[in-house]
Amino acid sequence: MLRFAPSPIEDMNIGNLRVAIFNYIVSKQLNEDLVIRIEDIDAEKIIEGKDKEIIEILNLFSIEYKYIAHQSDSLKYHQKIALQLMSQKKAFACFCSDNKLEELKEEAQAEGKPFAYDGFCETLSDETVLNTNAPFTVRIKKPESNIKFTDLLRGNFDYTPLEVDSFVILNQGKKPTYNYACAIDDMIMDISMVIRDEKHISNTAKQIHVRNSLSYTKEIKYVHLPSIINEQTNLNSVKWLIDEGFLPSAIANYLVLLGNETPKEIFSLEEAISWFKIENISKKASKFDIDKLKFINKKHLETIDDMRLSKILGFADNDIGKLAKLYLNEFSTIKELKENITAIFAEKISSKDFEKEFHNIKNCLQKAPFFEDFEKLEKYVEQETNLKNKDLSKPLRYVLTGTYDGPNISDIYPLIKNYLGEIVR
């Protein structure tokens, strides 16, 4: 079993999406299920509806999963196991105030050392704990020996007991902390492999320590992916990229390609399953390149079914799909294509540079008979209006397309001729 564990406190970003995609690919390769675990323990930070938005995005990218679980549903189980650890003297109540802990952090910082809990409450007797009427957290005792694990991408890691520390597993509100809840959930879900961002490397040692303390012996394989460097914050949001007109298939293609060696540049997610090797991912952070994504998006738009493209643009006509593809020489997103198609069908009231010519041509076209090809139509308009050269070509193009430039009008006309009445209304 593999899991993707997003937190509903922000928009899904491209780094999170890449983690989801890699989990999906590897789950298919290993013939194991993928579960979505919404990490919603930190209720104060949760944005309402964000969990549903995350699922919608995963569905949009055709990421298949066995089921959806919310971490908060396991709260009683988290608390029960914490009590078990306390009864076994593997965890203890900590009455240290925030001020005291802050003092310890400042002392460690002044000495140039990493902060570690000083163990003050670890030796309190059961009688003292029972007679202390004060809020407390629950801390797990630090390990007695080093915590070692192997990352399939990065190799071996070795954390000392001091680095793992006696960290908090239940806060004063008796809610589980991230590392504790994550460790317990991976255990009860029988997770066999964890693929996630490199920022969690130190967390892995803490989570292994929790499971070791519970005598859980199943080995979980780990892959910590390098980060994606993105200088423009808005480009991090998957929702923003979709709204800007990037196809999910192109975004997925780019994220698999990023920092990876692939047999070809343009491919589908399903194709990637047959050759993807997660151990081939670069260990270095990769820079997000919007121009590269635009190139890949254009390639996917070039091969998309004409009818499907037409429906994405709000029509149901192969010709509209073909029409949109004429604009791919200059544009690369659905949003840009839609703007051009919208301009064609928008009502044109006037033309700043060719006011008189515009009205003559528009009136002429409103009365014109049907013509199969553009040359005959153009000749008809020329005869009826006595306009020639740019006085004819410029405003005629504008009446038909809403712009003065773009693909050859002779290529556009066969695809819009059946809509001429609507276009020149």
Side-chain angles (χ1 to χ4, degrees):
M1 180 84 76
L2 284 82
R3 50 79 160 176
F4 172 59
S7 182
I9 62 173
E10 61 182 357
D11 285 353
M12 180 182 282
N13 60 47
I14 54 175
N16 292 335
L17 178 60
R18 184 171 65 158
V19 169
I21 288 171
F22 286 2
N23 271 286
Y24 167 69
I25 291 175
V26 174
S27 71
K28 288 295 184 181
Q29 291 177 331
L30 298 176
N31 196 28
E32 293 192 27
D33 291 327
L34 172 65
V35 61
I36 308 302
R37 187 172 74 218
I38 305 297
E39 298 195 333
D40 58 348
I41 291 295
D42 198 349
E44 294 180 357
K45 294 182 180 180
I46 291 173
I47 301 173
E48 186 177 354
K50 193 59 65 175
D51 56 342
K52 293 180 180 178
E53 183 180 290
I54 290 169
I55 299 303
E56 288 172 0
I57 289 175
L58 295 178
N59 292 338
L60 194 62
F61 281 79
S62 300
I63 294 175
E64 300 172 9
Y65 48 87
K66 183 72 172 179
Y67 62 89
I68 302 167
H70 285 73
Q71 198 170 54
S72 57
D73 292 338
S74 300
L75 175 60
K76 290 183 178 179
Y77 198 80
H78 297 143
Q79 293 171 336
K80 181 180 179 180
I81 294 180
L83 287 173
Q84 177 185 326
L85 289 169
M86 292 180 75
S87 68
Q88 295 172 346
K89 303 300 181 182
K90 295 178 180 179
F92 59 93
C94 176
F95 299 94
C96 295
S97 66
D98 291 341
N99 289 338
K100 175 61 178 176
L101 295 173
E102 191 60 36
E103 285 180 17
L104 293 175
K105 289 180 181 178
E106 290 176 358
E107 288 176 9
Q109 187 175 10
E111 295 174 6
K113 298 178 180 178
F115 167 72
Y117 180 65
D118 64 359
F120 178 81
C121 293
E122 185 175 343
T123 56
L124 295 178
S125 67
D126 291 343
E127 184 180 3
T128 301
V129 171
L130 286 172
N131 291 326
T132 302
N133 187 22
F136 65 91
T137 61
V138 177
R139 291 179 179 270
I140 192 168
K141 289 184 177 180
K142 63 178 177 288
E144 295 179 354
S145 58
N146 288 14
I147 298 295
K148 301 178 181 181
F149 65 92
T150 300
D151 181 284
L152 297 180
L153 185 62
R154 299 169 180 275
N156 298 324
F157 287 87
D158 189 346
Y159 283 83
T160 67
L162 189 63
E163 289 173 313
V164 176
D165 199 13
S166 297
F167 59 92
V168 175
I169 60 174
L170 291 184
N171 60 29
Q172 289 185 357
K174 304 306 170 276
K175 295 287 183 69
T177 57
Y178 169 76
N179 279 313
Y180 174 65
C182 188
I184 299 301
D185 290 341
D186 284 346
M187 183 177 71
I188 63 179
M189 288 180 170
D190 195 30
I191 298 300
S192 59
M193 187 174 191
V194 172
I195 302 172
R196 57 186 178 186
D197 190 270
E198 64 183 355
K199 67 183 179 182
H200 293 291
I201 291 177
S202 62
N203 291 333
T204 295
K206 294 178 183 293
Q207 292 164 23
I208 290 174
H209 174 48
V210 170
R211 290 192 294 273
N212 286 348
S213 300
L214 292 165
S215 301
Y216 185 76
T217 58
K218 178 176 179 175
E219 180 187 3
I220 298 178
K221 296 179 180 179
Y222 286 94
V223 178
H224 293 92
L225 301 172
S227 301
I228 299 175
I229 300 172
N230 199 339
E231 296 174 356
Q232 293 179 259
T233 306
N234 62 319
L235 299 184
N236 278 320
S237 169
V238 177
K239 186 176 182 299
W240 184 86
L241 290 173
I242 295 295
D243 290 343
E244 283 298 299
F246 291 95
L247 294 171
S249 61
I251 298 172
N253 184 160
Y254 178 65
L255 291 178
V256 174
L257 185 70
L258 193 63
N260 194 7
E261 294 182 7
T262 61
K264 56 182 180 178
E265 191 171 43
I266 306 300
F267 49 83
S268 69
L269 205 52
E270 294 308 308
E271 285 179 289
I273 292 172
S274 65
W275 47 254
F276 179 81
K277 291 183 179 180
I278 199 160
E279 59 268 27
N280 287 345
I281 299 295
S282 172
K283 300 178 184 66
K284 298 180 180 179
S286 299
K287 186 174 182 179
F288 184 84
D289 185 348
I290 189 66
D291 291 329
K292 184 66 175 182
L293 177 57
K294 286 180 179 180
F295 168 79
I296 292 174
N297 200 62
K298 181 182 291 190
K299 292 298 181 181
H300 279 259
L301 284 169
E302 288 173 353
T303 59
I304 195 172
D305 178 75
D306 292 334
M307 180 59 78
R308 184 185 169 203
L309 178 56
S310 171
K311 289 180 178 179
I312 291 173
L313 295 170
F315 294 83
D317 184 344
N318 280 318
D319 282 348
I320 298 299
K322 291 183 175 70
L323 174 63
K325 288 182 179 180
L326 292 179
Y327 288 88
L328 287 176
N329 286 332
E330 189 174 351
F331 302 101
S332 58
T333 68
I334 291 291
K335 184 177 181 179
E336 292 168 331
L337 297 183
K338 195 165 188 175
E339 288 172 351
N340 281 278
I341 301 301
T342 299
I344 291 174
F345 287 91
E347 183 178 6
K348 296 92 175 174
I349 298 174
S350 64
S351 173
K352 180 180 178 182
D353 299 319
F354 300 91
E355 189 72 29
K356 182 178 179 181
E357 294 86 348
F358 167 83
H359 288 292
N360 286 341
I361 291 173
K362 186 174 180 180
N363 290 334
C364 176
L365 289 175
Q366 288 173 342
K367 301 172 185 177
F370 178 80
F371 291 98
E372 279 289 344
D373 59 77
F374 177 69
E375 288 75 15
K376 291 180 180 178
L377 174 71
E378 186 179 38
K379 186 174 182 180
Y380 170 82
V381 175
E382 182 181 351
Q383 291 173 344
E384 293 295 315
T385 62
N386 292 318
L387 295 172
K388 295 183 179 181
N389 301 322
K390 71 174 184 177
D391 289 336
L392 171 64
S393 60
K394 285 282 187 179
L396 177 57
R397 169 183 278 277
Y398 185 81
V399 172
L400 293 177
T401 68
T403 61
Y404 288 119
D405 49 30
N408 290 331
I409 195 69
S410 57
D411 294 329
I412 292 176
Y413 179 75
L415 303 172
I416 64 171
K417 62 186 179 184
N418 294 326
Y419 296 94
L420 202 58
E422 181 180 350
I423 290 171
V424 301
R425 68 188 187 282

